[in-house]
Amino acid sequence: MGIKLNTEYLKNFVSDAELKAMAPAVAKAHQDLHQKTGLGHDFLGWVDLPSKTPDALITELTVLAKDVASHSEAIISIGIGGSYLGIRSTLEFLGGGRLPVYYAGHNMATADMVRILELIQQKNVTVVVISKSGTTTEPAVAFRIIDQAMQKKYSGAELKKRIICVTDAKKGALRQIADKAGYRSYIIPDDVGGRFSVLTPVGLVPLALAGVDIKAFVDGARAGEKEYASTDLSKNICYQYAAIRNVLYRKGKVIEMMASFYPNVQYVAEWWKQLYGESEGKGGQGIFPASTILSTDLHSMGQMMQDGIRNMFETFIMIDKVADQVFIPSQTEDTDKFNCVAGKDLDWVNKQAYKATADAHYEGGVPNMVITLDQADAFHLGQLYYFFEKGVGVSGYILGVNPFDQPGVEAYKTKMFALLGKK
């Protein structure tokens, strides 16, 4: 089991000498991460989080999930950014869980909220509200509305068991609400920022309630923590990825297109876009993260990728072994001339589409690499999350920015609070 990095289509774009020249910067970034000597060192709790996650927490959440499943038909998860994307990307990647999860607090669209309120009226639900401060506009407003609806439907002990808060240990508006109302709560670590929080209770609580195997999920991250600990650039594919990105960036490749031939990767790419965009886009710098799902987008964005401005590179996410097989039938008349693939598994054809695309884009001037997961399960996704988290920490330090703050996000919040009349 594991993850592989193929750099075949980087030839003539990134040389061995250029990659080797990045080794000192990579080693310095590694030191800053592990010794907490770099920018944003107060938010490095994610580095050794997998190995420090207590098995007792996993067991507790697994037991809680069984209890919730006995009295609930659905989960409502309230959160935005890192308190939303990691949860959704995991469930979309895995094809869902035992209980359906509905999302609120990631936008302020009236139509979406109406559907959530109708859900509360029609089904027995459990609500998980996720916010460190409890004062971020979107989830705070959503929780006000949903909390009121839950209080109208349930009361007393029945209400208390159906609302779970994931928030700060001691301070913040949501902590005050949880303590006053007696809602069950779980703690967001002080030293883990939102976009790195999917492996904390931020992700583990709703994922466990949905029915995800969170033990396998955390074990995958633990495997990543161990595997990507080497400072040897030739052996650490996570560090290779970070170094390659910076070599290409210095050559004018300012857009990274994450592409996959597997639709279940779509929200993983959304999670990745937040992680890399919010971490690196500072001071007029940073690689712009974008994504496509193929082969659908080959008939739209494919033209731009093949013949457009040459300021981008691609990172493909592929899956080696898929769970199911569908074989293509033969036809007597062979009208469409596709008997050439009769008897072949559909995933084999999908992988040929990848190879053709990677080769064509490379010849068209788009360097690309591929990250391949052995299979699409909770273990490998946990490992992939850690791969990207450590990769952006190293890449951001090489770039010379603080990968762990988000001053640009705070700018819009300040203006919104002023427009709303909020103190």
Side-chain angles (χ1 to χ4, degrees):
M1 294 192 295
I3 295 173
K4 295 180 282 291
L5 177 68
N6 187 319
T7 59
E8 174 186 359
Y9 290 115
L10 291 175
K11 292 175 183 177
N12 303 322
F13 290 100
V14 179
S15 69
D16 291 341
E18 287 172 321
L19 200 56
K20 188 176 180 180
M22 296 295 291
V26 169
K28 177 63 166 61
H30 172 91
Q31 180 184 44
D32 286 340
L33 286 178
H34 285 268
Q35 296 185 11
K36 299 185 177 181
T37 52
L39 295 170
H41 56 80
D42 290 339
F43 290 93
L44 292 174
W46 59 269
V47 174
D48 56 1
L49 177 67
S51 60
K52 287 188 174 180
T53 299
D55 289 333
L57 174 63
I58 296 172
T59 301
E60 178 186 343
L61 292 177
T62 302
V63 171
L64 175 63
K66 291 179 181 178
D67 178 58
V68 168
S70 72
H71 61 65
S72 295
E73 300 167 88
I75 306 297
I76 297 172
S77 181
I78 304 173
I80 195 170
S83 300
Y84 157 67
L85 283 170
I87 300 157
R88 186 160 192 176
S89 67
T90 302
L91 289 168
E92 296 280 348
F93 183 81
L94 298 176
R98 181 173 56 242
L99 290 178
V101 176
Y102 298 84
Y103 303 95
H106 61 297
N107 62 41
M108 290 179 286
T110 302
D112 284 3
M113 181 55 70
V114 168
R115 283 190 284 270
I116 292 291
L117 295 176
E118 289 174 348
L119 176 71
I120 293 171
Q121 291 177 351
Q122 296 165 3
K123 295 182 181 294
N124 283 317
V125 302
T126 291
V127 174
V128 182
V129 54
I130 308 160
S131 177
K132 191 164 182 61
S133 66
T135 59
T136 301
T137 304
E138 296 89 342
V141 170
F143 184 50
R144 274 196 175 212
I145 298 168
I146 291 169
D147 190 33
Q148 181 187 61
M150 292 292 285
Q151 289 184 43
K152 287 181 179 179
K153 183 172 182 178
Y154 307 104
S155 61
E158 187 67 22
L159 175 66
K160 289 181 181 179
K161 76 178 184 181
R162 293 184 178 277
I163 296 181
I164 300 171
C165 302
V166 183
T167 188
D168 191 89
K170 298 178 181 178
K171 61 183 184 298
L174 186 55
R175 167 51 58 195
Q176 293 178 44
I177 292 169
D179 289 347
K180 183 177 180 180
Y183 296 149
R184 183 194 296 266
S185 65
Y186 289 90
I187 295 169
I188 303 174
D190 285 336
D191 56 358
V192 179
R195 58 190 177 275
F196 291 84
S197 66
V198 67
L199 292 158
T200 73
V202 166
L204 296 182
V205 172
L207 292 176
L209 300 191
V212 170
D213 183 351
I214 60 169
K215 184 181 186 307
F217 184 58
V218 173
D219 282 347
R222 288 168 175 167
E225 181 184 343
K226 184 177 180 180
E227 184 168 346
Y228 310 131
S230 171
T231 57
D232 187 341
L233 185 57
S234 66
K235 296 179 180 178
N236 191 329
I237 62 170
C238 172
Y239 289 3
Q240 287 173 29
Y241 170 68
I244 288 165
R245 297 177 78 253
N246 278 271
V247 171
L248 291 169
Y249 178 62
R250 294 173 187 184
K251 293 183 175 184
K253 305 298 184 182
V254 296
I255 298 172
E256 179 175 8
M257 183 69 73
M258 176 171 283
S260 183
F261 283 78
Y262 296 92
N264 62 325
V265 174
Q266 180 177 352
Y267 269 91
V268 174
E270 295 299 317
W271 171 86
W272 168 84
K273 284 193 285 191
Q274 184 199 3
L275 180 67
Y276 278 71
E278 202 169 47
S279 295
E280 291 190 321
K282 289 153 195 174
Q285 301 184 82
I287 300 169
F288 188 91
S291 63
T292 55
I293 291 296
L294 310 173
S295 56
T296 303
D297 289 341
L298 289 176
H299 296 260
S300 54
M301 291 293 290
Q303 177 63 43
M304 174 62 74
M305 296 301 297
Q306 191 67 47
D307 285 340
I309 186 170
R310 303 294 76 181
N311 63 347
M312 66 183 74
F313 64 97
E314 277 179 293
T315 300
F316 291 97
I317 304 290
M318 294 295 289
I319 298 164
D320 189 19
K321 305 179 189 73
V322 299
D324 303 302
Q325 288 184 308
V326 175
F327 293 98
I328 300 167
S330 177
Q331 290 183 350
T332 302
E333 295 184 0
D334 192 24
T335 306
D336 59 10
K337 305 304 178 188
F338 274 106
N339 271 354
C340 58
V341 294
K344 296 286 188 182
D345 178 30
L346 185 60
D347 188 60
W348 179 86
V349 179
N350 199 33
K351 286 181 168 63
Q352 307 321 301
Y354 151 69
K355 291 176 183 177
T357 303
D359 192 52
H361 288 184
Y362 171 72
E363 290 182 357
V366 180
N368 61 80
M369 52 187 155
V370 59
I371 297 167
T372 302
L373 283 66
D374 279 355
Q375 56 195 54
D377 59 16
F379 179 94
H380 287 87
L381 185 59
Q383 185 175 352
L384 184 68
Y385 283 152
Y386 190 84
F387 174 98
F388 281 132
E389 286 179 359
K390 200 161 196 194
V392 81
V394 171
S395 183
Y397 277 157
I398 294 173
L399 185 62
V401 302
N402 178 355
F404 310 113
D405 65 357
Q406 52 281 333
V409 176
E410 299 306 319
Y412 108 86
K413 288 183 180 180
T414 300
K415 288 185 177 293
M416 179 178 282
F417 288 167
L419 290 169
L420 296 178
K422 183 178 187 295
K423 295 180 180 179

Coordinates of all heavy atoms in Angstrom, one line a residue, residues 345-398:
D345 N -11.4 -4.0 -19.7 CA -12.0 -3.3 -18.5 C -12.1 -1.8 -18.8 O -11.2 -1.3 -19.3 CB -11.2 -3.6 -17.3 CG -11.8 -3.0 -16.0 OD1 -13.0 -2.7 -16.0 OD2 -11.0 -2.6 -15.1
L346 N -13.2 -1.2 -18.4 CA -13.4 0.2 -18.7 C -12.3 1.0 -18.0 O -11.9 2.0 -18.6 CB -14.8 0.7 -18.1 CG -15.2 2.1 -18.4 CD1 -15.2 2.4 -19.9 CD2 -16.5 2.4 -17.7
D347 N -11.8 0.6 -16.8 CA -10.7 1.4 -16.2 C -9.4 1.3 -17.0 O -8.7 2.3 -16.9 CB -10.5 0.9 -14.8 CG -9.5 1.8 -14.0 OD1 -9.8 3.0 -13.8 OD2 -8.5 1.3 -13.6
W348 N -9.2 0.2 -17.7 CA -8.1 0.2 -18.6 C -8.1 1.3 -19.7 O -7.1 1.9 -19.9 CB -8.0 -1.2 -19.2 CG -6.8 -1.4 -20.2 CD1 -5.5 -1.7 -19.8 CD2 -6.8 -1.1 -21.6 NE1 -4.7 -1.8 -21.0 CE2 -5.5 -1.4 -22.1 CE3 -7.8 -0.7 -22.5 CZ2 -5.1 -1.3 -23.4 CZ3 -7.4 -0.6 -23.9 CH2 -6.1 -0.9 -24.3
V349 N -9.3 1.4 -20.2 CA -9.5 2.5 -21.2 C -9.3 3.9 -20.6 O -8.7 4.7 -21.2 CB -10.9 2.4 -21.9 CG1 -11.1 3.5 -22.9 CG2 -11.1 1.0 -22.5
N350 N -9.8 4.0 -19.4 CA -9.6 5.3 -18.7 C -8.1 5.6 -18.5 O -7.7 6.8 -18.7 CB -10.3 5.2 -17.3 CG -10.6 6.6 -16.7 OD1 -10.9 7.5 -17.4 ND2 -10.6 6.6 -15.4
K351 N -7.4 4.6 -18.1 CA -5.9 4.8 -17.9 C -5.2 5.1 -19.3 O -4.2 5.9 -19.3 CB -5.3 3.6 -17.2 CG -5.7 3.6 -15.7 CD -5.0 2.4 -15.1 CE -5.1 2.5 -13.5 NZ -6.5 2.4 -13.0
Q352 N -5.7 4.6 -20.4 CA -5.1 4.9 -21.7 C -5.4 6.4 -22.0 O -4.6 7.1 -22.6 CB -5.6 4.0 -22.8 CG -5.5 2.5 -22.5 CD -4.2 2.2 -21.8 OE1 -3.1 2.4 -22.4 NE2 -4.3 1.5 -20.7
A353 N -6.6 6.9 -21.6 CA -6.9 8.3 -21.8 C -6.0 9.2 -21.0 O -5.5 10.2 -21.5 CB -8.4 8.5 -21.4
Y354 N -5.6 8.7 -19.8 CA -4.7 9.5 -19.0 C -3.3 9.6 -19.7 O -2.7 10.6 -19.9 CB -4.5 8.9 -17.6 CG -3.1 9.2 -17.1 CD1 -2.7 10.5 -16.7 CD2 -2.1 8.2 -17.0 CE1 -1.4 10.8 -16.3 CE2 -0.8 8.4 -16.6 CZ -0.5 9.7 -16.3 OH 0.8 10.0 -15.9
K355 N -2.8 8.4 -20.2 CA -1.5 8.3 -20.8 C -1.5 9.2 -22.1 O -0.5 9.9 -22.3 CB -1.2 6.9 -21.2 CG -0.9 6.0 -20.0 CD -0.7 4.6 -20.4 CE -0.5 3.7 -19.1 NZ -0.3 2.3 -19.5
A356 N -2.6 9.2 -22.9 CA -2.6 10.0 -24.1 C -2.6 11.5 -23.7 O -2.0 12.3 -24.4 CB -3.9 9.6 -24.9
T357 N -3.4 11.8 -22.7 CA -3.5 13.2 -22.3 C -2.1 13.7 -21.7 O -1.7 14.8 -22.1 CB -4.6 13.4 -21.2 OG1 -5.8 12.9 -21.7 CG2 -4.7 14.9 -20.8
A358 N -1.5 13.0 -20.8 CA -0.2 13.4 -20.3 C 0.8 13.6 -21.4 O 1.6 14.5 -21.4 CB 0.2 12.4 -19.3
D359 N 0.8 12.6 -22.3 CA 1.8 12.7 -23.4 C 1.5 13.9 -24.3 O 2.4 14.6 -24.7 CB 1.7 11.4 -24.2 CG 2.9 11.3 -25.2 OD1 4.0 11.4 -24.8 OD2 2.6 11.0 -26.4
A360 N 0.2 14.1 -24.7 CA -0.1 15.2 -25.6 C 0.2 16.6 -24.9 O 0.7 17.5 -25.6 CB -1.6 15.1 -26.0
H361 N -0.2 16.7 -23.7 CA 0.1 18.0 -23.0 C 1.6 18.2 -22.8 O 2.0 19.4 -23.0 CB -0.6 18.0 -21.6 CG -2.1 18.1 -21.7 ND1 -2.9 18.2 -20.6 CD2 -2.9 18.2 -22.7 CE1 -4.2 18.3 -21.0 NE2 -4.2 18.3 -22.3
Y362 N 2.3 17.2 -22.6 CA 3.8 17.3 -22.5 C 4.4 17.8 -23.8 O 5.2 18.8 -23.8 CB 4.4 16.0 -22.1 CG 5.9 15.9 -22.1 CD1 6.7 16.6 -21.2 CD2 6.5 15.2 -23.1 CE1 8.1 16.5 -21.2 CE2 7.9 15.1 -23.2 CZ 8.7 15.7 -22.3 OH 10.1 15.7 -22.3
E363 N 3.9 17.2 -24.9 CA 4.4 17.6 -26.2 C 3.9 19.0 -26.5 O 4.6 19.7 -27.3 CB 3.9 16.6 -27.3 CG 4.6 15.3 -27.2 CD 4.2 14.3 -28.3 OE1 3.3 14.7 -29.1 OE2 4.7 13.2 -28.4
G364 N 2.8 19.4 -25.9 CA 2.3 20.8 -26.1 C 2.9 21.8 -25.2 O 2.5 23.0 -25.3
G365 N 3.9 21.4 -24.4 CA 4.6 22.4 -23.6 C 4.1 22.5 -22.2 O 4.4 23.5 -21.5
V366 N 3.3 21.5 -21.7 CA 2.8 21.5 -20.3 C 3.5 20.4 -19.5 O 3.2 19.2 -19.7 CB 1.3 21.3 -20.3 CG1 0.8 21.4 -18.8 CG2 0.6 22.4 -21.0
P367 N 4.5 20.7 -18.7 CA 5.1 19.7 -17.9 C 4.1 19.1 -16.9 O 3.2 19.8 -16.4 CB 6.2 20.4 -17.1 CG 5.8 21.9 -17.1 CD 5.0 22.1 -18.4
N368 N 4.2 17.8 -16.7 CA 3.2 17.2 -15.7 C 3.8 16.0 -15.0 O 4.8 15.4 -15.4 CB 1.9 16.8 -16.5 CG 2.1 15.8 -17.6 OD1 2.3 14.6 -17.3 ND2 2.2 16.2 -18.8
M369 N 3.2 15.7 -13.9 CA 3.6 14.6 -13.0 C 2.4 13.9 -12.5 O 1.3 14.5 -12.6 CB 4.5 15.1 -11.9 CG 3.9 16.2 -11.0 SD 5.1 16.8 -9.8 CE 4.5 18.5 -9.5
V370 N 2.5 12.7 -12.0 CA 1.3 12.0 -11.6 C 1.6 11.4 -10.2 O 2.6 10.8 -9.9 CB 0.9 10.9 -12.6 CG1 2.0 9.9 -12.8 CG2 -0.4 10.2 -12.1
I371 N 0.6 11.6 -9.3 CA 0.6 11.0 -8.0 C -0.4 9.8 -8.1 O -1.6 10.1 -8.4 CB 0.2 12.0 -6.9 CG1 1.2 13.1 -6.8 CG2 0.1 11.3 -5.6 CD1 0.8 14.3 -6.0
T372 N 0.1 8.6 -7.8 CA -0.8 7.5 -7.9 C -1.0 6.8 -6.6 O -0.1 6.5 -5.9 CB -0.2 6.4 -8.9 OG1 0.0 7.0 -10.2 CG2 -1.1 5.2 -9.1
L373 N -2.3 6.6 -6.2 CA -2.7 5.9 -5.0 C -2.9 4.5 -5.4 O -3.5 4.2 -6.4 CB -4.0 6.5 -4.4 CG -3.9 7.8 -3.6 CD1 -3.5 9.0 -4.5 CD2 -5.2 8.1 -2.9
D374 N -2.5 3.6 -4.5 CA -2.7 2.1 -4.8 C -4.2 1.8 -4.9 O -4.6 1.1 -5.8 CB -2.1 1.3 -3.6 CG -0.7 1.1 -3.8 OD1 -0.1 1.5 -4.8 OD2 0.0 0.5 -2.9
Q375 N -5.0 2.4 -4.1 CA -6.5 2.3 -4.2 C -7.2 3.4 -3.5 O -6.6 4.2 -2.7 CB -6.9 0.9 -3.6 CG -6.5 0.7 -2.1 CD -6.6 -0.8 -1.8 OE1 -6.1 -1.7 -2.4 NE2 -7.4 -1.0 -0.7
A376 N -8.5 3.5 -3.7 CA -9.3 4.6 -3.2 C -9.9 4.2 -1.9 O -11.1 3.9 -1.9 CB -10.3 5.1 -4.2
D377 N -9.2 4.3 -0.8 CA -9.8 3.9 0.5 C -9.4 5.0 1.5 O -8.6 5.9 1.2 CB -9.4 2.5 0.9 CG -7.9 2.3 1.0 OD1 -7.2 3.3 1.0 OD2 -7.5 1.1 1.0
A378 N -9.9 4.8 2.7 CA -9.6 5.8 3.8 C -8.1 5.8 4.1 O -7.6 6.9 4.4 CB -10.4 5.4 5.0
F379 N -7.5 4.7 4.1 CA -6.0 4.7 4.5 C -5.2 5.5 3.5 O -4.4 6.4 3.9 CB -5.5 3.2 4.4 CG -4.0 3.1 4.7 CD1 -3.6 2.8 6.0 CD2 -3.1 3.2 3.7 CE1 -2.2 2.7 6.3 CE2 -1.7 3.1 4.0 CZ -1.3 2.9 5.3
H380 N -5.4 5.3 2.2 CA -4.6 6.1 1.2 C -5.0 7.5 1.2 O -4.1 8.4 0.9 CB -4.8 5.4 -0.2 CG -4.1 4.1 -0.3 ND1 -4.7 2.9 0.1 CD2 -2.8 3.8 -0.7 CE1 -3.8 1.9 -0.1 NE2 -2.7 2.4 -0.6
L381 N -6.3 7.9 1.5 CA -6.6 9.3 1.5 C -6.0 10.0 2.7 O -5.5 11.1 2.6 CB -8.1 9.4 1.5 CG -8.7 10.9 1.5 CD1 -8.2 11.5 0.2 CD2 -10.2 10.9 1.6
G382 N -5.9 9.3 3.8 CA -5.2 9.9 5.0 C -3.8 10.1 4.7 O -3.2 11.2 5.0
Q383 N -3.1 9.2 4.0 CA -1.7 9.4 3.6 C -1.6 10.5 2.6 O -0.6 11.3 2.7 CB -1.2 8.1 3.0 CG 0.3 8.1 2.7 CD 0.9 6.8 2.2 OE1 0.2 5.8 2.2 NE2 2.1 6.8 1.8
L384 N -2.5 10.6 1.7 CA -2.5 11.7 0.7 C -2.6 13.1 1.3 O -1.9 14.0 1.0 CB -3.5 11.5 -0.4 CG -3.5 12.5 -1.6 CD1 -2.3 12.3 -2.4 CD2 -4.8 12.4 -2.4
Y385 N -3.6 13.2 2.3 CA -3.7 14.4 3.0 C -2.4 14.9 3.6 O -2.0 16.0 3.6 CB -4.8 14.3 4.0 CG -6.2 14.4 3.5 CD1 -7.3 13.8 4.2 CD2 -6.6 15.1 2.3 CE1 -8.6 13.8 3.7 CE2 -7.9 15.1 1.9 CZ -8.9 14.5 2.6 OH -10.2 14.6 2.1
Y386 N -1.8 13.9 4.3 CA -0.5 14.3 5.0 C 0.6 14.6 3.9 O 1.3 15.6 4.2 CB 0.0 13.1 5.9 CG 1.1 13.6 6.8 CD1 0.9 14.2 8.0 CD2 2.4 13.4 6.4 CE1 1.9 14.7 8.8 CE2 3.5 13.8 7.2 CZ 3.2 14.5 8.4 OH 4.2 14.9 9.2
F387 N 0.6 13.9 2.8 CA 1.5 14.2 1.7 C 1.4 15.7 1.3 O 2.4 16.4 1.2 CB 1.2 13.3 0.6 CG 2.0 13.6 -0.7 CD1 3.2 12.8 -1.0 CD2 1.6 14.6 -1.6 CE1 3.9 13.1 -2.1 CE2 2.4 14.8 -2.7 CZ 3.5 14.1 -3.0
F388 N 0.2 16.1 1.1 CA 0.0 17.5 0.6 C 0.2 18.5 1.7 O 0.7 19.6 1.5 CB -1.4 17.6 0.1 CG -1.6 17.1 -1.3 CD1 -2.7 16.3 -1.7 CD2 -0.7 17.4 -2.3 CE1 -2.8 15.8 -3.0 CE2 -0.8 17.0 -3.6 CZ -1.9 16.1 -3.9
E389 N -0.1 18.2 3.0 CA 0.1 19.1 4.1 C 1.6 19.4 4.3 O 2.0 20.5 4.4 CB -0.5 18.6 5.4 CG -2.0 18.6 5.4 CD -2.6 18.1 6.7 OE1 -1.9 17.6 7.5 OE2 -3.9 18.1 6.8
K390 N 2.4 18.3 4.3 CA 3.8 18.5 4.5 C 4.4 19.1 3.2 O 5.3 19.9 3.3 CB 4.5 17.2 4.8 CG 5.9 17.4 5.5 CD 6.4 16.2 6.2 CE 7.5 16.6 7.1 NZ 8.3 15.4 7.6
G391 N 3.9 18.8 2.1 CA 4.4 19.3 0.8 C 4.2 20.8 0.8 O 5.1 21.6 0.4
V392 N 3.1 21.4 1.3 CA 2.9 22.8 1.2 C 3.7 23.5 2.3 O 4.1 24.7 2.1 CB 1.4 23.2 1.3 CG1 0.9 23.1 2.8 CG2 1.1 24.5 0.7
G393 N 3.9 22.9 3.4 CA 4.8 23.5 4.4 C 6.2 23.7 3.9 O 6.8 24.8 4.0
V394 N 6.7 22.7 3.2 CA 8.1 22.8 2.6 C 8.1 23.7 1.5 O 9.0 24.6 1.4 CB 8.6 21.4 2.2 CG1 9.8 21.5 1.4 CG2 8.8 20.5 3.4
S395 N 7.1 23.6 0.6 CA 7.0 24.5 -0.6 C 6.9 26.0 -0.2 O 7.5 26.8 -0.8 CB 5.8 24.1 -1.5 OG 5.8 24.8 -2.7
G396 N 6.1 26.2 0.8 CA 5.9 27.6 1.2 C 7.1 28.2 1.8 O 7.5 29.4 1.5
Y397 N 7.8 27.4 2.6 CA 9.1 27.9 3.2 C 10.1 28.2 2.1 O 10.9 29.1 2.1 CB 9.7 26.9 4.2 CG 9.0 27.0 5.6 CD1 9.0 26.0 6.5 CD2 8.5 28.2 6.0 CE1 8.5 26.1 7.8 CE2 8.0 28.4 7.3 CZ 8.0 27.3 8.1 OH 7.4 27.4 9.4
I398 N 10.2 27.3 1.1 CA 11.1 27.5 -0.1 C 10.7 28.8 -0.8 O 11.6 29.6 -1.2 CB 11.1 26.3 -1.0 CG1 11.6 25.1 -0.4 CG2 11.9 26.6 -2.3 CD1 11.5 23.8 -1.3

